[in-house]
Amino acid sequence: MTATIEPTITEERPPSASARLSLAPAGSVPGLLDGAWWPRSRDLFREIPTLTDALDACWGRITHVTVNPAHWPVVPRKVPVTGHTVHVGWFADEQDPNKVLLLSYTVGRLDLLVIPPETEPAAAARLMAAATVPGGIRTASGLMADEVTSHDAAEARSREEERETDGGAASAAGAAIGLSSSALRG
């Protein structure tokens, strides 16, 4: 008789830092999101234990996690965490690619915005704050799209300001006015 052992159950989990997590205030009006999670990598095997360690004590034992595989290169079926195993599922079409669902038998469900690991700290802070607004009606993908739009607008303003201070269009127009004024005087 042979037994099949799933490799993800027997591997040693490397130590990692605490979870970067922000939750809506307890007792607040529920919104579409219950908070945000900013993992340090796209490795669910490494990241789920850190997340559950942060949530198990204050929220209840996490038993299941679901993700959209769009942003996760590997989705393990099971992940060993402190004291138990978390079952991982995925939904490609049904679940927002920027959201993770956490299930607990004792408390219920948490919907968290997943902030990409490569996100700049200032942008991550804005997203974490936006995802914890009581009664928030923005979806995870909606918040991500808002941040991209905001970032693009800020970048465009920055380029325009740089151009104006470096002798761009505004300075050239000023120089032309200066030339015509001196031509009129002379």
PDB file of all heavy atoms in Angstrom, residues 141-182:
ATOM      1  N   SER A 141     -11.148  45.654  -6.645  1.00  0.00           N
ATOM      2  CA  SER A 141     -10.624  46.110  -7.943  1.00  0.00           C
ATOM      3  C   SER A 141     -10.915  47.587  -8.168  1.00  0.00           C
ATOM      4  O   SER A 141     -10.117  48.291  -8.793  1.00  0.00           O
ATOM      5  CB  SER A 141     -11.203  45.269  -9.083  1.00  0.00           C
ATOM      6  OG  SER A 141     -10.576  44.002  -9.088  1.00  0.00           O
ATOM      7  N   GLY A 142     -12.033  48.078  -7.656  1.00  0.00           N
ATOM      8  CA  GLY A 142     -12.358  49.500  -7.758  1.00  0.00           C
ATOM      9  C   GLY A 142     -11.346  50.355  -7.016  1.00  0.00           C
ATOM     10  O   GLY A 142     -10.901  51.390  -7.513  1.00  0.00           O
ATOM     11  N   LEU A 143     -10.970  49.932  -5.803  1.00  0.00           N
ATOM     12  CA  LEU A 143      -9.960  50.662  -5.039  1.00  0.00           C
ATOM     13  C   LEU A 143      -8.608  50.645  -5.750  1.00  0.00           C
ATOM     14  O   LEU A 143      -7.908  51.660  -5.785  1.00  0.00           O
ATOM     15  CB  LEU A 143      -9.814  50.073  -3.635  1.00  0.00           C
ATOM     16  CG  LEU A 143     -10.966  50.347  -2.670  1.00  0.00           C
ATOM     17  CD1 LEU A 143     -10.737  49.609  -1.363  1.00  0.00           C
ATOM     18  CD2 LEU A 143     -11.131  51.836  -2.426  1.00  0.00           C
ATOM     19  N   MET A 144      -8.245  49.508  -6.312  1.00  0.00           N
ATOM     20  CA  MET A 144      -6.967  49.413  -7.036  1.00  0.00           C
ATOM     21  C   MET A 144      -6.988  50.327  -8.260  1.00  0.00           C
ATOM     22  O   MET A 144      -6.000  51.010  -8.548  1.00  0.00           O
ATOM     23  CB  MET A 144      -6.675  47.968  -7.436  1.00  0.00           C
ATOM     24  CG  MET A 144      -6.429  47.029  -6.264  1.00  0.00           C
ATOM     25  SD  MET A 144      -5.072  47.509  -5.195  1.00  0.00           S
ATOM     26  CE  MET A 144      -3.702  47.317  -6.303  1.00  0.00           C
ATOM     27  N   ALA A 145      -8.100  50.364  -8.984  1.00  0.00           N
ATOM     28  CA  ALA A 145      -8.218  51.229 -10.163  1.00  0.00           C
ATOM     29  C   ALA A 145      -8.138  52.697  -9.748  1.00  0.00           C
ATOM     30  O   ALA A 145      -7.490  53.504 -10.424  1.00  0.00           O
ATOM     31  CB  ALA A 145      -9.519  50.945 -10.903  1.00  0.00           C
ATOM     32  N   ASP A 146      -8.805  53.058  -8.628  1.00  0.00           N
ATOM     33  CA  ASP A 146      -8.735  54.433  -8.126  1.00  0.00           C
ATOM     34  C   ASP A 146      -7.301  54.825  -7.812  1.00  0.00           C
ATOM     35  O   ASP A 146      -6.869  55.933  -8.114  1.00  0.00           O
ATOM     36  CB  ASP A 146      -9.581  54.597  -6.860  1.00  0.00           C
ATOM     37  CG  ASP A 146     -11.072  54.520  -7.120  1.00  0.00           C
ATOM     38  OD1 ASP A 146     -11.487  54.528  -8.294  1.00  0.00           O
ATOM     39  OD2 ASP A 146     -11.831  54.436  -6.124  1.00  0.00           O
ATOM     40  N   GLU A 147      -6.550  53.915  -7.205  1.00  0.00           N
ATOM     41  CA  GLU A 147      -5.155  54.204  -6.838  1.00  0.00           C
ATOM     42  C   GLU A 147      -4.303  54.388  -8.085  1.00  0.00           C
ATOM     43  O   GLU A 147      -3.463  55.288  -8.134  1.00  0.00           O
ATOM     44  CB  GLU A 147      -4.589  53.094  -5.952  1.00  0.00           C
ATOM     45  CG  GLU A 147      -3.168  53.320  -5.516  1.00  0.00           C
ATOM     46  CD  GLU A 147      -2.942  54.609  -4.724  1.00  0.00           C
ATOM     47  OE1 GLU A 147      -3.837  55.032  -3.974  1.00  0.00           O
ATOM     48  OE2 GLU A 147      -1.853  55.199  -4.865  1.00  0.00           O
ATOM     49  N   VAL A 148      -4.504  53.564  -9.092  1.00  0.00           N
ATOM     50  CA  VAL A 148      -3.743  53.704 -10.342  1.00  0.00           C
ATOM     51  C   VAL A 148      -4.063  55.049 -10.991  1.00  0.00           C
ATOM     52  O   VAL A 148      -3.159  55.769 -11.420  1.00  0.00           O
ATOM     53  CB  VAL A 148      -4.043  52.533 -11.310  1.00  0.00           C
ATOM     54  CG1 VAL A 148      -3.522  52.804 -12.702  1.00  0.00           C
ATOM     55  CG2 VAL A 148      -3.465  51.239 -10.759  1.00  0.00           C
ATOM     56  N   THR A 149      -5.343  55.414 -11.030  1.00  0.00           N
ATOM     57  CA  THR A 149      -5.752  56.693 -11.616  1.00  0.00           C
ATOM     58  C   THR A 149      -5.142  57.850 -10.835  1.00  0.00           C
ATOM     59  O   THR A 149      -4.607  58.792 -11.420  1.00  0.00           O
ATOM     60  CB  THR A 149      -7.290  56.811 -11.627  1.00  0.00           C
ATOM     61  OG1 THR A 149      -7.817  55.723 -12.389  1.00  0.00           O
ATOM     62  CG2 THR A 149      -7.748  58.121 -12.228  1.00  0.00           C
ATOM     63  N   SER A 150      -5.206  57.772  -9.511  1.00  0.00           N
ATOM     64  CA  SER A 150      -4.638  58.812  -8.655  1.00  0.00           C
ATOM     65  C   SER A 150      -3.129  58.925  -8.855  1.00  0.00           C
ATOM     66  O   SER A 150      -2.583  60.023  -8.963  1.00  0.00           O
ATOM     67  CB  SER A 150      -4.958  58.487  -7.194  1.00  0.00           C
ATOM     68  OG  SER A 150      -4.271  59.337  -6.333  1.00  0.00           O
ATOM     69  N   HIS A 151      -2.463  57.783  -8.945  1.00  0.00           N
ATOM     70  CA  HIS A 151      -1.007  57.770  -9.151  1.00  0.00           C
ATOM     71  C   HIS A 151      -0.661  58.377 -10.504  1.00  0.00           C
ATOM     72  O   HIS A 151       0.271  59.176 -10.616  1.00  0.00           O
ATOM     73  CB  HIS A 151      -0.480  56.333  -9.049  1.00  0.00           C
ATOM     74  CG  HIS A 151       0.990  56.226  -9.267  1.00  0.00           C
ATOM     75  ND1 HIS A 151       1.536  55.966 -10.507  1.00  0.00           N
ATOM     76  CD2 HIS A 151       2.042  56.371  -8.417  1.00  0.00           C
ATOM     77  CE1 HIS A 151       2.846  55.945 -10.405  1.00  0.00           C
ATOM     78  NE2 HIS A 151       3.188  56.194  -9.148  1.00  0.00           N
ATOM     79  N   ASP A 152      -1.413  58.000 -11.541  1.00  0.00           N
ATOM     80  CA  ASP A 152      -1.149  58.535 -12.878  1.00  0.00           C
ATOM     81  C   ASP A 152      -1.357  60.046 -12.920  1.00  0.00           C
ATOM     82  O   ASP A 152      -0.578  60.774 -13.529  1.00  0.00           O
ATOM     83  CB  ASP A 152      -2.041  57.850 -13.920  1.00  0.00           C
ATOM     84  CG  ASP A 152      -1.668  56.399 -14.154  1.00  0.00           C
ATOM     85  OD1 ASP A 152      -0.589  55.971 -13.684  1.00  0.00           O
ATOM     86  OD2 ASP A 152      -2.463  55.675 -14.794  1.00  0.00           O
ATOM     87  N   ALA A 153      -2.409  60.540 -12.256  1.00  0.00           N
ATOM     88  CA  ALA A 153      -2.684  61.982 -12.227  1.00  0.00           C
ATOM     89  C   ALA A 153      -1.575  62.716 -11.475  1.00  0.00           C
ATOM     90  O   ALA A 153      -1.116  63.779 -11.920  1.00  0.00           O
ATOM     91  CB  ALA A 153      -4.036  62.246 -11.588  1.00  0.00           C
ATOM     92  N   ALA A 154      -1.136  62.169 -10.354  1.00  0.00           N
ATOM     93  CA  ALA A 154      -0.053  62.795  -9.579  1.00  0.00           C
ATOM     94  C   ALA A 154       1.237  62.815 -10.385  1.00  0.00           C
ATOM     95  O   ALA A 154       1.981  63.806 -10.362  1.00  0.00           O
ATOM     96  CB  ALA A 154       0.141  62.049  -8.263  1.00  0.00           C
ATOM     97  N   GLU A 155       1.494  61.750 -11.104  1.00  0.00           N
ATOM     98  CA  GLU A 155       2.693  61.680 -11.939  1.00  0.00           C
ATOM     99  C   GLU A 155       2.636  62.713 -13.067  1.00  0.00           C
ATOM    100  O   GLU A 155       3.627  63.383 -13.364  1.00  0.00           O
ATOM    101  CB  GLU A 155       2.820  60.261 -12.513  1.00  0.00           C
ATOM    102  CG  GLU A 155       4.215  59.864 -12.857  1.00  0.00           C
ATOM    103  CD  GLU A 155       4.293  58.379 -13.203  1.00  0.00           C
ATOM    104  OE1 GLU A 155       4.014  58.044 -14.366  1.00  0.00           O
ATOM    105  OE2 GLU A 155       4.630  57.589 -12.302  1.00  0.00           O
ATOM    106  N   ALA A 156       1.477  62.875 -13.657  1.00  0.00           N
ATOM    107  CA  ALA A 156       1.313  63.865 -14.732  1.00  0.00           C
ATOM    108  C   ALA A 156       1.505  65.277 -14.188  1.00  0.00           C
ATOM    109  O   ALA A 156       2.172  66.105 -14.829  1.00  0.00           O
ATOM    110  CB  ALA A 156      -0.062  63.731 -15.381  1.00  0.00           C
ATOM    111  N   ARG A 157       0.935  65.567 -12.988  1.00  0.00           N
ATOM    112  CA  ARG A 157       1.128  66.886 -12.371  1.00  0.00           C
ATOM    113  C   ARG A 157       2.610  67.130 -12.080  1.00  0.00           C
ATOM    114  O   ARG A 157       3.126  68.212 -12.316  1.00  0.00           O
ATOM    115  CB  ARG A 157       0.316  66.995 -11.078  1.00  0.00           C
ATOM    116  CG  ARG A 157      -1.137  67.335 -11.289  1.00  0.00           C
ATOM    117  CD  ARG A 157      -1.826  67.689  -9.984  1.00  0.00           C
ATOM    118  NE  ARG A 157      -1.700  66.677  -8.944  1.00  0.00           N
ATOM    119  CZ  ARG A 157      -2.496  65.627  -8.806  1.00  0.00           C
ATOM    120  NH1 ARG A 157      -3.483  65.435  -9.657  1.00  0.00           N
ATOM    121  NH2 ARG A 157      -2.317  64.761  -7.825  1.00  0.00           N
ATOM    122  N   SER A 158       3.273  66.106 -11.585  1.00  0.00           N
ATOM    123  CA  SER A 158       4.693  66.228 -11.259  1.00  0.00           C
ATOM    124  C   SER A 158       5.516  66.527 -12.513  1.00  0.00           C
ATOM    125  O   SER A 158       6.399  67.378 -12.499  1.00  0.00           O
ATOM    126  CB  SER A 158       5.181  64.943 -10.592  1.00  0.00           C
ATOM    127  OG  SER A 158       6.560  64.995 -10.361  1.00  0.00           O
ATOM    128  N   ARG A 159       5.219  65.824 -13.604  1.00  0.00           N
ATOM    129  CA  ARG A 159       5.930  66.061 -14.868  1.00  0.00           C
ATOM    130  C   ARG A 159       5.672  67.478 -15.370  1.00  0.00           C
ATOM    131  O   ARG A 159       6.576  68.157 -15.845  1.00  0.00           O
ATOM    132  CB  ARG A 159       5.507  65.041 -15.923  1.00  0.00           C
ATOM    133  CG  ARG A 159       6.180  63.698 -15.789  1.00  0.00           C
ATOM    134  CD  ARG A 159       5.994  62.839 -17.031  1.00  0.00           C
ATOM    135  NE  ARG A 159       4.616  62.719 -17.464  1.00  0.00           N
ATOM    136  CZ  ARG A 159       3.802  61.729 -17.103  1.00  0.00           C
ATOM    137  NH1 ARG A 159       4.224  60.773 -16.304  1.00  0.00           N
ATOM    138  NH2 ARG A 159       2.570  61.688 -17.543  1.00  0.00           N
ATOM    139  N   GLU A 160       4.427  67.944 -15.247  1.00  0.00           N
ATOM    140  CA  GLU A 160       4.076  69.293 -15.700  1.00  0.00           C
ATOM    141  C   GLU A 160       4.796  70.348 -14.858  1.00  0.00           C
ATOM    142  O   GLU A 160       5.344  71.304 -15.399  1.00  0.00           O
ATOM    143  CB  GLU A 160       2.558  69.501 -15.616  1.00  0.00           C
ATOM    144  CG  GLU A 160       2.100  70.852 -16.125  1.00  0.00           C
ATOM    145  CD  GLU A 160       2.362  71.078 -17.607  1.00  0.00           C
ATOM    146  OE1 GLU A 160       2.438  70.110 -18.374  1.00  0.00           O
ATOM    147  OE2 GLU A 160       2.532  72.250 -17.996  1.00  0.00           O
ATOM    148  N   GLU A 161       4.830  70.157 -13.537  1.00  0.00           N
ATOM    149  CA  GLU A 161       5.524  71.101 -12.664  1.00  0.00           C
ATOM    150  C   GLU A 161       7.020  71.117 -12.970  1.00  0.00           C
ATOM    151  O   GLU A 161       7.636  72.178 -13.018  1.00  0.00           O
ATOM    152  CB  GLU A 161       5.298  70.733 -11.193  1.00  0.00           C
ATOM    153  CG  GLU A 161       3.895  71.012 -10.719  1.00  0.00           C
ATOM    154  CD  GLU A 161       3.618  70.437  -9.341  1.00  0.00           C
ATOM    155  OE1 GLU A 161       4.529  69.845  -8.715  1.00  0.00           O
ATOM    156  OE2 GLU A 161       2.471  70.561  -8.888  1.00  0.00           O
ATOM    157  N   GLU A 162       7.575  69.944 -13.213  1.00  0.00           N
ATOM    158  CA  GLU A 162       8.998  69.854 -13.533  1.00  0.00           C
ATOM    159  C   GLU A 162       9.294  70.577 -14.839  1.00  0.00           C
ATOM    160  O   GLU A 162      10.269  71.316 -14.962  1.00  0.00           O
ATOM    161  CB  GLU A 162       9.412  68.386 -13.624  1.00  0.00           C
ATOM    162  CG  GLU A 162      10.887  68.181 -13.891  1.00  0.00           C
ATOM    163  CD  GLU A 162      11.239  66.703 -13.937  1.00  0.00           C
ATOM    164  OE1 GLU A 162      10.857  65.968 -13.012  1.00  0.00           O
ATOM    165  OE2 GLU A 162      11.890  66.300 -14.915  1.00  0.00           O
ATOM    166  N   ARG A 163       8.428  70.395 -15.805  1.00  0.00           N
ATOM    167  CA  ARG A 163       8.608  71.031 -17.100  1.00  0.00           C
ATOM    168  C   ARG A 163       8.535  72.547 -16.976  1.00  0.00           C
ATOM    169  O   ARG A 163       9.318  73.272 -17.575  1.00  0.00           O
ATOM    170  CB  ARG A 163       7.542  70.526 -18.069  1.00  0.00           C
ATOM    171  CG  ARG A 163       7.913  70.730 -19.518  1.00  0.00           C
ATOM    172  CD  ARG A 163       6.925  70.124 -20.408  1.00  0.00           C
ATOM    173  NE  ARG A 163       5.961  71.195 -20.710  1.00  0.00           N
ATOM    174  CZ  ARG A 163       4.926  71.054 -21.477  1.00  0.00           C
ATOM    175  NH1 ARG A 163       4.640  69.885 -21.986  1.00  0.00           N
ATOM    176  NH2 ARG A 163       4.131  72.057 -21.732  1.00  0.00           N
ATOM    177  N   GLU A 164       7.599  73.044 -16.155  1.00  0.00           N
ATOM    178  CA  GLU A 164       7.451  74.484 -15.977  1.00  0.00           C
ATOM    179  C   GLU A 164       8.655  75.081 -15.259  1.00  0.00           C
ATOM    180  O   GLU A 164       9.079  76.185 -15.582  1.00  0.00           O
ATOM    181  CB  GLU A 164       6.162  74.799 -15.212  1.00  0.00           C
ATOM    182  CG  GLU A 164       4.932  74.599 -16.055  1.00  0.00           C
ATOM    183  CD  GLU A 164       3.650  74.870 -15.293  1.00  0.00           C
ATOM    184  OE1 GLU A 164       3.713  75.331 -14.147  1.00  0.00           O
ATOM    185  OE2 GLU A 164       2.580  74.618 -15.875  1.00  0.00           O
ATOM    186  N   THR A 165       9.211  74.379 -14.282  1.00  0.00           N
ATOM    187  CA  THR A 165      10.356  74.923 -13.543  1.00  0.00           C
ATOM    188  C   THR A 165      11.670  74.733 -14.290  1.00  0.00           C
ATOM    189  O   THR A 165      12.644  75.402 -13.981  1.00  0.00           O
ATOM    190  CB  THR A 165      10.470  74.278 -12.154  1.00  0.00           C
ATOM    191  OG1 THR A 165      10.614  72.867 -12.298  1.00  0.00           O
ATOM    192  CG2 THR A 165       9.274  74.604 -11.305  1.00  0.00           C
ATOM    193  N   ASP A 166      11.705  73.857 -15.279  1.00  0.00           N
ATOM    194  CA  ASP A 166      12.932  73.608 -16.031  1.00  0.00           C
ATOM    195  C   ASP A 166      12.949  74.345 -17.364  1.00  0.00           C
ATOM    196  O   ASP A 166      13.713  74.007 -18.257  1.00  0.00           O
ATOM    197  CB  ASP A 166      13.105  72.102 -16.301  1.00  0.00           C
ATOM    198  CG  ASP A 166      13.508  71.349 -15.058  1.00  0.00           C
ATOM    199  OD1 ASP A 166      13.912  71.997 -14.069  1.00  0.00           O
ATOM    200  OD2 ASP A 166      13.431  70.116 -15.081  1.00  0.00           O
ATOM    201  N   GLY A 167      12.093  75.349 -17.531  1.00  0.00           N
ATOM    202  CA  GLY A 167      12.113  76.113 -18.780  1.00  0.00           C
ATOM    203  C   GLY A 167      11.268  75.499 -19.861  1.00  0.00           C
ATOM    204  O   GLY A 167      11.559  75.655 -21.037  1.00  0.00           O
ATOM    205  N   GLY A 168      10.199  74.824 -19.480  1.00  0.00           N
ATOM    206  CA  GLY A 168       9.318  74.187 -20.462  1.00  0.00           C
ATOM    207  C   GLY A 168       8.380  75.199 -21.084  1.00  0.00           C
ATOM    208  O   GLY A 168       8.702  76.380 -21.250  1.00  0.00           O
ATOM    209  N   ALA A 169       7.175  74.782 -21.398  1.00  0.00           N
ATOM    210  CA  ALA A 169       6.195  75.589 -22.133  1.00  0.00           C
ATOM    211  C   ALA A 169       5.895  76.909 -21.440  1.00  0.00           C
ATOM    212  O   ALA A 169       5.861  77.959 -22.072  1.00  0.00           O
ATOM    213  CB  ALA A 169       4.917  74.784 -22.318  1.00  0.00           C
ATOM    214  N   ALA A 170       5.669  76.895 -20.143  1.00  0.00           N
ATOM    215  CA  ALA A 170       5.317  78.126 -19.440  1.00  0.00           C
ATOM    216  C   ALA A 170       6.478  79.112 -19.482  1.00  0.00           C
ATOM    217  O   ALA A 170       6.290  80.302 -19.695  1.00  0.00           O
ATOM    218  CB  ALA A 170       4.933  77.807 -17.997  1.00  0.00           C
ATOM    219  N   SER A 171       7.697  78.650 -19.278  1.00  0.00           N
ATOM    220  CA  SER A 171       8.861  79.536 -19.310  1.00  0.00           C
ATOM    221  C   SER A 171       9.115  80.066 -20.719  1.00  0.00           C
ATOM    222  O   SER A 171       9.497  81.213 -20.905  1.00  0.00           O
ATOM    223  CB  SER A 171      10.107  78.800 -18.816  1.00  0.00           C
ATOM    224  OG  SER A 171       9.944  78.457 -17.463  1.00  0.00           O
ATOM    225  N   ALA A 172       8.905  79.241 -21.721  1.00  0.00           N
ATOM    226  CA  ALA A 172       9.096  79.664 -23.107  1.00  0.00           C
ATOM    227  C   ALA A 172       8.095  80.754 -23.460  1.00  0.00           C
ATOM    228  O   ALA A 172       8.428  81.733 -24.127  1.00  0.00           O
ATOM    229  CB  ALA A 172       8.962  78.480 -24.045  1.00  0.00           C
ATOM    230  N   ALA A 173       6.860  80.619 -22.971  1.00  0.00           N
ATOM    231  CA  ALA A 173       5.841  81.639 -23.233  1.00  0.00           C
ATOM    232  C   ALA A 173       6.248  82.939 -22.560  1.00  0.00           C
ATOM    233  O   ALA A 173       6.098  84.028 -23.126  1.00  0.00           O
ATOM    234  CB  ALA A 173       4.481  81.164 -22.732  1.00  0.00           C
ATOM    235  N   GLY A 174       6.772  82.850 -21.349  1.00  0.00           N
ATOM    236  CA  GLY A 174       7.238  84.042 -20.635  1.00  0.00           C
ATOM    237  C   GLY A 174       8.376  84.708 -21.375  1.00  0.00           C
ATOM    238  O   GLY A 174       8.457  85.934 -21.472  1.00  0.00           O
ATOM    239  N   ALA A 175       9.279  83.926 -21.925  1.00  0.00           N
ATOM    240  CA  ALA A 175      10.417  84.467 -22.667  1.00  0.00           C
ATOM    241  C   ALA A 175       9.925  85.167 -23.920  1.00  0.00           C
ATOM    242  O   ALA A 175      10.435  86.229 -24.284  1.00  0.00           O
ATOM    243  CB  ALA A 175      11.397  83.349 -23.017  1.00  0.00           C
ATOM    244  N   ALA A 176       8.924  84.610 -24.580  1.00  0.00           N
ATOM    245  CA  ALA A 176       8.386  85.226 -25.782  1.00  0.00           C
ATOM    246  C   ALA A 176       7.745  86.563 -25.438  1.00  0.00           C
ATOM    247  O   ALA A 176       7.891  87.545 -26.162  1.00  0.00           O
ATOM    248  CB  ALA A 176       7.373  84.308 -26.453  1.00  0.00           C
ATOM    249  N   ILE A 177       7.061  86.621 -24.314  1.00  0.00           N
ATOM    250  CA  ILE A 177       6.448  87.882 -23.886  1.00  0.00           C
ATOM    251  C   ILE A 177       7.542  88.892 -23.583  1.00  0.00           C
ATOM    252  O   ILE A 177       7.453  90.058 -23.957  1.00  0.00           O
ATOM    253  CB  ILE A 177       5.539  87.658 -22.655  1.00  0.00           C
ATOM    254  CG1 ILE A 177       4.318  86.851 -23.076  1.00  0.00           C
ATOM    255  CG2 ILE A 177       5.119  88.971 -22.016  1.00  0.00           C
ATOM    256  CD1 ILE A 177       3.453  86.390 -21.936  1.00  0.00           C
ATOM    257  N   GLY A 178       8.594  88.415 -22.928  1.00  0.00           N
ATOM    258  CA  GLY A 178       9.730  89.302 -22.625  1.00  0.00           C
ATOM    259  C   GLY A 178      10.368  89.856 -23.890  1.00  0.00           C
ATOM    260  O   GLY A 178      10.748  91.022 -23.969  1.00  0.00           O
ATOM    261  N   LEU A 179      10.496  89.022 -24.909  1.00  0.00           N
ATOM    262  CA  LEU A 179      11.092  89.459 -26.174  1.00  0.00           C
ATOM    263  C   LEU A 179      10.215  90.512 -26.840  1.00  0.00           C
ATOM    264  O   LEU A 179      10.706  91.516 -27.331  1.00  0.00           O
ATOM    265  CB  LEU A 179      11.300  88.285 -27.123  1.00  0.00           C
ATOM    266  CG  LEU A 179      12.480  87.363 -26.817  1.00  0.00           C
ATOM    267  CD1 LEU A 179      12.451  86.184 -27.777  1.00  0.00           C
ATOM    268  CD2 LEU A 179      13.792  88.125 -26.985  1.00  0.00           C
ATOM    269  N   SER A 180       8.920  90.261 -26.878  1.00  0.00           N
ATOM    270  CA  SER A 180       8.048  91.213 -27.547  1.00  0.00           C
ATOM    271  C   SER A 180       7.979  92.528 -26.793  1.00  0.00           C
ATOM    272  O   SER A 180       7.873  93.589 -27.385  1.00  0.00           O
ATOM    273  CB  SER A 180       6.660  90.626 -27.769  1.00  0.00           C
ATOM    274  OG  SER A 180       6.090  90.262 -26.541  1.00  0.00           O
ATOM    275  N   SER A 181       8.111  92.491 -25.465  1.00  0.00           N
ATOM    276  CA  SER A 181       8.110  93.725 -24.669  1.00  0.00           C
ATOM    277  C   SER A 181       9.360  94.532 -24.961  1.00  0.00           C
ATOM    278  O   SER A 181       9.303  95.751 -25.119  1.00  0.00           O
ATOM    279  CB  SER A 181       8.088  93.403 -23.158  1.00  0.00           C
ATOM    280  OG  SER A 181       6.950  92.692 -22.845  1.00  0.00           O
ATOM    281  N   SER A 182      10.508  93.858 -25.061  1.00  0.00           N
ATOM    282  CA  SER A 182      11.754  94.577 -25.327  1.00  0.00           C
ATOM    283  C   SER A 182      11.768  95.091 -26.761  1.00  0.00           C
ATOM    284  O   SER A 182      12.336  96.145 -27.040  1.00  0.00           O
ATOM    285  CB  SER A 182      12.970  93.701 -25.039  1.00  0.00           C
ATOM    286  OG  SER A 182      12.956  92.575 -25.864  1.00  0.00           O
TER     287      SER A 182
END
